[in-house]
Amino acid sequence: MASQDDVKVLSLWSSPFVMRVLIGLEEKGINYETVPQTFPDKSPLLLEMNPVYKKVPVLVHKGKPVVESLIALEYIDEEWTSGPALLPADPYERAIARFWADYVDKKIYEPATHIFRYTGEKYEAAKLELIENLVLLEETLKGKDYFGGDKFGLVDIMLAPQISWFPMCEIVGGFKIPMEEKFPLIAAWMRKCKERESVKKILPQYEDLLQYATMVRKRVLSS
């Protein structure tokens, strides 16, 4: 591993956004310290490092904060160039990677979250939207090992933590996402991702995530 170089991540173990940053650091071989946060309480450090959004993750490097997971991953790629690249070298391919990374946030994360947070019409709409959006992702994987081709990179890091939450949609949210039946390429890709040491180390245990997701669902439905 490279020298620590004073790298900290203000984190929450269950957050897929935090997982992205940690996987990126692991891929680059950077030593780091996680600083766990508790919610809804917000620590003075979190308020100091992220006064605008007041949320995790916050990558703190040499005392300076970098917020938002996608921005933090690009920072990691640019700051530590000695490790494997997270983004392609070609400008056009980099733009394509950024497009699909943004797609993951807007078209995969949001409807998946709504499955947990809503009932009724909003819940049903979220299920349909998620399936439709996964169809496009399945298409982009044809003939490739990873979303960027033969190399694990930005889009893979953005999506893998989110896919790890999908079983919770079935068990807690009551909606089974038919991965093997409708999205075999994504299912195979996820198995490949889980074989990587960076992903294996960071993704939480199934039982822990189930307990947490159950608690969140109960809290949301009772509010």
Side-chain angles (χ1 to χ4, degrees), residues 103-115 118 121-137 166 175 177 182-183:
Y103 182 92
V104 168
D105 269 350
K106 293 176 180 174
K107 299 297 186 179
I108 303 300
Y109 170 75
E110 288 188 10
T113 300
H114 291 171
I115 290 170
Y118 297 120
E121 291 184 3
K122 288 185 176 180
Y123 172 80
E124 296 299 329
K127 293 194 298 183
L128 291 174
E129 182 183 357
L130 180 58
I131 294 301
E132 289 175 359
N133 296 342
L134 283 169
V135 168
L136 289 177
L137 276 184
F166 277 12
F175 174 54
I177 302 172
K182 289 185 70 74
F183 311 111

Side-chain angles (χ1 to χ4, degrees), residues 48-92:
E48 176 189 354
M49 293 289 106
N50 192 359
V52 176
Y53 292 120
K54 305 178 180 64
K55 63 183 182 180
V56 295
V58 182
L59 172 68
V60 184
H61 182 214
K62 298 180 180 179
K64 297 178 180 179
V66 181
V67 302
E68 299 296 287
S69 60
L70 176 55
I71 295 171
L73 285 170
E74 293 203 48
Y75 177 86
I76 289 167
D77 200 36
E78 293 170 0
E79 177 67 21
W80 290 286
T81 57
S82 59
L86 305 182
L87 280 144
D90 178 76
Y92 179 75

